[in-house]
CSV table of all heavy atoms in Angstrom, one decimal:
chain,number,residue,atom,x,y,z
A,1,CYS,N,0.8,-1.2,0.0
A,1,CYS,CA,0.0,0.0,0.0
A,1,CYS,C,0.9,1.3,0.0
A,1,CYS,O,0.5,2.2,-0.7
A,1,CYS,CB,-0.9,0.0,1.2
A,1,CYS,SG,-2.3,1.1,1.1
A,2,ARG,N,1.9,1.3,0.7
A,2,ARG,CA,2.7,2.5,0.9
A,2,ARG,C,3.3,3.1,-0.4
A,2,ARG,O,3.2,4.3,-0.6
A,2,ARG,CB,3.8,2.3,1.9
A,2,ARG,CG,3.6,3.0,3.2
A,2,ARG,CD,4.7,3.0,4.1
A,2,ARG,NE,4.2,2.8,5.5
A,2,ARG,CZ,4.7,2.1,6.4
A,2,ARG,NH1,5.8,1.5,6.2
A,2,ARG,NH2,4.1,1.9,7.6
A,3,PRO,N,3.9,2.4,-1.2
A,3,PRO,CA,4.5,2.9,-2.4
A,3,PRO,C,3.5,3.3,-3.5
A,3,PRO,O,3.8,3.9,-4.5
A,3,PRO,CB,5.5,1.8,-2.9
A,3,PRO,CG,5.0,0.6,-2.4
A,3,PRO,CD,4.3,0.9,-1.1
A,4,CYS,N,2.3,3.0,-3.3
A,4,CYS,CA,1.3,3.2,-4.4
A,4,CYS,C,1.1,4.8,-4.6
A,4,CYS,O,0.9,5.5,-3.7
A,4,CYS,CB,-0.1,2.6,-4.0
A,4,CYS,SG,-1.4,2.9,-5.2
A,5,PRO,N,1.1,5.2,-5.9
A,5,PRO,CA,1.0,6.6,-6.2
A,5,PRO,C,-0.4,7.2,-5.9
A,5,PRO,O,-0.6,8.3,-5.7
A,5,PRO,CB,1.4,6.7,-7.6
A,5,PRO,CG,1.1,5.4,-8.2
A,5,PRO,CD,1.4,4.4,-7.1
A,6,LEU,N,-1.4,6.3,-5.9
A,6,LEU,CA,-2.8,6.8,-5.6
A,6,LEU,C,-3.2,6.6,-4.2
A,6,LEU,O,-4.4,6.6,-3.8
A,6,LEU,CB,-3.7,5.9,-6.5
A,6,LEU,CG,-3.5,6.2,-8.0
A,6,LEU,CD1,-4.4,5.3,-8.8
A,6,LEU,CD2,-3.6,7.6,-8.4
A,7,ARG,N,-2.3,6.3,-3.3
A,7,ARG,CA,-2.6,6.1,-1.9
A,7,ARG,C,-3.4,7.2,-1.2
A,7,ARG,O,-4.2,6.9,-0.4
A,7,ARG,CB,-1.2,5.8,-1.1
A,7,ARG,CG,-1.5,5.4,0.4
A,7,ARG,CD,-0.2,4.9,1.0
A,7,ARG,NE,-0.4,4.3,2.2
A,7,ARG,CZ,-0.5,5.0,3.3
A,7,ARG,NH1,-0.4,6.3,3.4
A,7,ARG,NH2,-0.8,4.4,4.5
A,8,ASP,N,-3.0,8.4,-1.5
A,8,ASP,CA,-3.7,9.6,-0.9
A,8,ASP,C,-5.2,9.6,-1.2
A,8,ASP,O,-5.9,10.1,-0.4
A,8,ASP,CB,-3.1,10.9,-1.4
A,8,ASP,CG,-1.6,11.0,-1.0
A,8,ASP,OD1,-1.2,10.3,-0.1
A,8,ASP,OD2,-0.9,11.9,-1.5
A,9,GLN,N,-5.6,9.1,-2.4
A,9,GLN,CA,-7.0,9.1,-2.8
A,9,GLN,C,-7.7,7.9,-2.2
A,9,GLN,O,-8.9,7.8,-2.2
A,9,GLN,CB,-7.1,9.0,-4.3
A,9,GLN,CG,-6.5,10.2,-5.0
A,9,GLN,CD,-6.5,10.1,-6.5
A,9,GLN,OE1,-7.0,9.1,-7.0
A,9,GLN,NE2,-5.8,11.0,-7.2
A,10,CYS,N,-6.9,6.9,-1.7
A,10,CYS,CA,-7.5,5.6,-1.2
A,10,CYS,C,-7.7,5.6,0.2
A,10,CYS,O,-8.7,5.1,0.7
A,10,CYS,CB,-6.6,4.5,-1.6
A,10,CYS,SG,-7.2,2.9,-1.3
A,11,THR,N,-6.7,6.2,1.0
A,11,THR,CA,-6.9,6.1,2.5
A,11,THR,C,-6.2,7.3,3.1
A,11,THR,O,-5.3,7.9,2.5
A,11,THR,CB,-6.2,4.8,3.0
A,11,THR,OG1,-6.3,4.7,4.4
A,11,THR,CG2,-4.7,4.7,2.7
A,12,SER,N,-6.6,7.6,4.3
A,12,SER,CA,-5.9,8.7,5.1
A,12,SER,C,-5.1,8.1,6.2
A,12,SER,O,-4.5,8.8,7.0
A,12,SER,CB,-7.0,9.6,5.6
A,12,SER,OG,-7.8,8.9,6.5
A,13,SER,N,-5.0,6.8,6.3
A,13,SER,CA,-4.2,6.1,7.3
A,13,SER,C,-2.7,6.4,7.1
A,13,SER,O,-2.2,6.2,6.0
A,13,SER,CB,-4.5,4.6,7.2
A,13,SER,OG,-3.5,3.9,8.1
A,14,LYS,N,-2.1,6.8,8.2
A,14,LYS,CA,-0.6,7.2,8.1
A,14,LYS,C,0.2,5.9,8.3
A,14,LYS,O,1.1,5.7,7.4
A,14,LYS,CB,-0.2,8.2,9.1
A,14,LYS,CG,-1.0,9.5,9.0
A,14,LYS,CD,-0.6,10.2,7.7
A,14,LYS,CE,-1.4,11.5,7.6
A,14,LYS,NZ,-1.6,12.0,6.3
A,15,PRO,N,0.0,5.1,9.3
A,15,PRO,CA,0.9,4.0,9.5
A,15,PRO,C,0.7,2.8,8.7
A,15,PRO,O,1.6,2.1,8.3
A,15,PRO,CB,0.8,3.7,11.0
A,15,PRO,CG,-0.6,4.0,11.3
A,15,PRO,CD,-0.9,5.2,10.4
A,16,GLY,N,-0.5,2.5,8.4
A,16,GLY,CA,-0.8,1.2,7.8
A,16,GLY,C,-1.4,1.3,6.4
A,16,GLY,O,-1.4,2.4,5.7
A,17,GLY,N,-2.0,0.2,5.9
A,17,GLY,CA,-2.6,0.2,4.7
A,17,GLY,C,-4.1,0.3,4.8
A,17,GLY,O,-4.6,0.7,5.9
A,18,ARG,N,-4.7,0.2,3.7
A,18,ARG,CA,-6.2,0.4,3.7
A,18,ARG,C,-6.9,-0.9,4.2
A,18,ARG,O,-6.6,-2.0,4.0
A,18,ARG,CB,-6.7,0.6,2.3
A,18,ARG,CG,-8.2,0.9,2.2
A,18,ARG,CD,-8.6,1.3,0.9
A,18,ARG,NE,-10.0,1.5,0.9
A,18,ARG,CZ,-10.7,2.4,0.2
A,18,ARG,NH1,-10.0,3.1,-0.6
A,18,ARG,NH2,-11.9,2.5,0.3
A,19,THR,N,-8.0,-0.7,4.9
A,19,THR,CA,-8.8,-1.7,5.4
A,19,THR,C,-10.2,-1.7,4.8
A,19,THR,O,-10.8,-0.5,4.8
A,19,THR,CB,-9.0,-1.6,7.0
A,19,THR,OG1,-7.7,-1.6,7.6
A,19,THR,CG2,-9.7,-2.7,7.6
A,20,LEU,N,-10.7,-2.8,4.4
A,20,LEU,CA,-12.0,-2.8,3.7
A,20,LEU,C,-13.0,-3.6,4.6
A,20,LEU,O,-12.6,-4.7,5.1
A,20,LEU,CB,-11.9,-3.4,2.3
A,20,LEU,CG,-11.2,-2.7,1.2
A,20,LEU,CD1,-11.2,-3.5,0.0
A,20,LEU,CD2,-11.8,-1.3,1.0
A,21,SER,N,-14.2,-3.1,4.8
A,21,SER,CA,-15.2,-3.8,5.6
A,21,SER,C,-16.3,-4.2,4.6
A,21,SER,O,-16.9,-3.4,4.0
A,21,SER,CB,-15.8,-3.0,6.7
A,21,SER,OG,-14.7,-2.6,7.6
A,22,LEU,N,-16.5,-5.5,4.4
A,22,LEU,CA,-17.4,-6.0,3.4
A,22,LEU,C,-18.6,-6.6,4.2
A,22,LEU,O,-18.5,-7.4,5.1
A,22,LEU,CB,-16.8,-7.1,2.6
A,22,LEU,CG,-15.6,-6.6,1.7
A,22,LEU,CD1,-15.0,-7.8,1.0
A,22,LEU,CD2,-16.0,-5.5,0.8
A,23,GLN,N,-19.8,-6.0,3.8
A,23,GLN,CA,-21.1,-6.5,4.5
A,23,GLN,C,-21.7,-7.6,3.6
A,23,GLN,O,-21.4,-7.6,2.4
A,23,GLN,CB,-22.0,-5.3,4.6
A,23,GLN,CG,-21.5,-4.1,5.4
A,23,GLN,CD,-21.4,-4.3,6.8
A,23,GLN,OE1,-22.0,-5.3,7.3
A,23,GLN,NE2,-20.6,-3.5,7.5
A,24,PRO,N,-22.6,-8.4,4.2
A,24,PRO,CA,-23.3,-9.3,3.3
A,24,PRO,C,-24.2,-8.5,2.3
A,24,PRO,O,-24.5,-7.2,2.6
A,24,PRO,CB,-24.2,-10.0,4.3
A,24,PRO,CG,-23.6,-9.9,5.7
A,24,PRO,CD,-22.8,-8.6,5.6
A,25,ARG,N,-24.5,-9.0,1.2
A,25,ARG,CA,-25.1,-8.3,0.1
A,25,ARG,C,-26.5,-7.6,0.6
A,25,ARG,O,-26.7,-6.4,0.3
A,25,ARG,CB,-25.5,-9.2,-1.0
A,25,ARG,CG,-26.2,-8.5,-2.2
A,25,ARG,CD,-26.5,-9.5,-3.3
A,25,ARG,NE,-25.3,-10.1,-3.7
A,25,ARG,CZ,-24.7,-9.9,-5.0
A,25,ARG,NH1,-25.4,-9.1,-5.8
A,25,ARG,NH2,-23.6,-10.5,-5.3
A,26,GLU,N,-27.3,-8.3,1.4
A,26,GLU,CA,-28.6,-7.7,1.8
A,26,GLU,C,-28.3,-6.5,2.7
A,26,GLU,O,-29.0,-5.5,2.5
A,26,GLU,CB,-29.4,-8.8,2.6
A,26,GLU,CG,-29.8,-9.9,1.8
A,26,GLU,CD,-28.7,-11.0,1.7
A,26,GLU,OE1,-27.8,-11.0,2.6
A,26,GLU,OE2,-28.7,-11.8,0.7
A,27,VAL,N,-27.3,-6.6,3.6
A,27,VAL,CA,-27.1,-5.5,4.5
A,27,VAL,C,-26.6,-4.3,3.6
A,27,VAL,O,-26.9,-3.1,3.9
A,27,VAL,CB,-26.1,-5.9,5.6
A,27,VAL,CG1,-25.6,-4.7,6.5
A,27,VAL,CG2,-26.7,-7.0,6.4
A,28,GLN,N,-25.7,-4.5,2.7
A,28,GLN,CA,-25.2,-3.5,1.9
A,28,GLN,C,-26.2,-2.8,1.1
A,28,GLN,O,-26.1,-1.6,0.9
A,28,GLN,CB,-24.0,-4.0,1.0
A,28,GLN,CG,-23.3,-2.9,0.2
A,28,GLN,CD,-22.5,-2.0,1.2
A,28,GLN,OE1,-21.9,-2.4,2.1
A,28,GLN,NE2,-22.6,-0.7,0.9
A,29,GLU,N,-27.1,-3.6,0.6
A,29,GLU,CA,-28.2,-3.0,-0.3
A,29,GLU,C,-29.1,-2.0,0.6
A,29,GLU,O,-29.5,-1.0,0.1
A,29,GLU,CB,-29.1,-4.1,-0.9
A,29,GLU,CG,-28.3,-4.8,-2.1
A,29,GLU,CD,-29.0,-6.0,-2.7
A,29,GLU,OE1,-30.1,-6.3,-2.0
A,29,GLU,OE2,-28.6,-6.5,-3.6
A,30,VAL,N,-29.4,-2.5,1.8
A,30,VAL,CA,-30.2,-1.7,2.7
A,30,VAL,C,-29.4,-0.3,3.0
A,30,VAL,O,-30.0,0.7,3.1
A,30,VAL,CB,-30.5,-2.4,4.0
A,30,VAL,CG1,-31.2,-1.5,5.0
A,30,VAL,CG2,-31.5,-3.6,3.7
A,31,LEU,N,-28.1,-0.5,3.3
A,31,LEU,CA,-27.3,0.7,3.6
A,31,LEU,C,-27.3,1.7,2.4
A,31,LEU,O,-27.4,2.9,2.6
A,31,LEU,CB,-25.8,0.3,4.0
A,31,LEU,CG,-25.7,-0.2,5.4
A,31,LEU,CD1,-24.3,-0.8,5.5
A,31,LEU,CD2,-25.9,0.8,6.4
A,32,ASP,N,-27.1,1.1,1.3
A,32,ASP,CA,-27.1,1.9,0.1
A,32,ASP,C,-28.4,2.7,-0.2
A,32,ASP,O,-28.4,3.9,-0.5
A,32,ASP,CB,-26.8,1.1,-1.2
A,32,ASP,CG,-25.4,0.6,-1.2
A,32,ASP,OD1,-24.5,1.2,-0.5
A,32,ASP,OD2,-25.1,-0.3,-2.0
A,33,ARG,N,-29.5,2.0,0.0
A,33,ARG,CA,-30.9,2.7,-0.1
A,33,ARG,C,-31.0,3.7,0.9
A,33,ARG,O,-31.5,4.9,0.6
A,33,ARG,CB,-32.0,1.6,0.0
A,33,ARG,CG,-32.3,0.9,-1.3
A,33,ARG,CD,-33.6,0.1,-1.2
A,33,ARG,NE,-33.8,-0.8,-0.1
A,33,ARG,CZ,-33.3,-2.0,-0.1
A,33,ARG,NH1,-32.9,-2.6,-1.2
A,33,ARG,NH2,-33.6,-2.7,1.0
A,34,ALA,N,-30.6,3.5,2.2
A,34,ALA,CA,-30.7,4.5,3.2
A,34,ALA,C,-29.9,5.7,2.9
A,34,ALA,O,-30.4,6.8,3.1
A,34,ALA,CB,-30.4,3.9,4.6
A,35,ARG,N,-28.7,5.5,2.4
A,35,ARG,CA,-27.8,6.6,2.1
A,35,ARG,C,-28.3,7.5,0.9
A,35,ARG,O,-28.2,8.7,0.9
A,35,ARG,CB,-26.4,6.1,1.8
A,35,ARG,CG,-25.7,5.7,3.0
A,35,ARG,CD,-24.3,5.1,2.7
A,35,ARG,NE,-23.7,4.6,3.9
A,35,ARG,CZ,-23.0,3.5,4.0
A,35,ARG,NH1,-22.7,2.8,2.9
A,35,ARG,NH2,-22.5,3.2,5.1
């Protein structure tokens, strides 16, 4: 993650890499509709 030239657009984390949280499809669809 650190040497990637697009890191600033991907994460604001200083020490580590990017973390992704993946929800089950049904939960993600409900969240998307609510947003």
Side-chain angles (χ1 to χ4, degrees):
C1 197
R2 252 189 218 143
C4 178
L6 300 176
R7 187 172 188 275
D8 296 346
Q9 297 172 10
C10 187
T11 182
S12 60
S13 173
K14 300 294 181 209
R18 181 173 181 149
T19 303
L20 295 177
S21 299
L22 301 175
Q23 304 286 342
R25 181 181 300 248
E26 298 82 21
V27 174
Q28 187 63 45
E29 288 173 354
V30 170
L31 284 172
D32 291 341
R33 280 195 304 271
R35 288 179 182 140

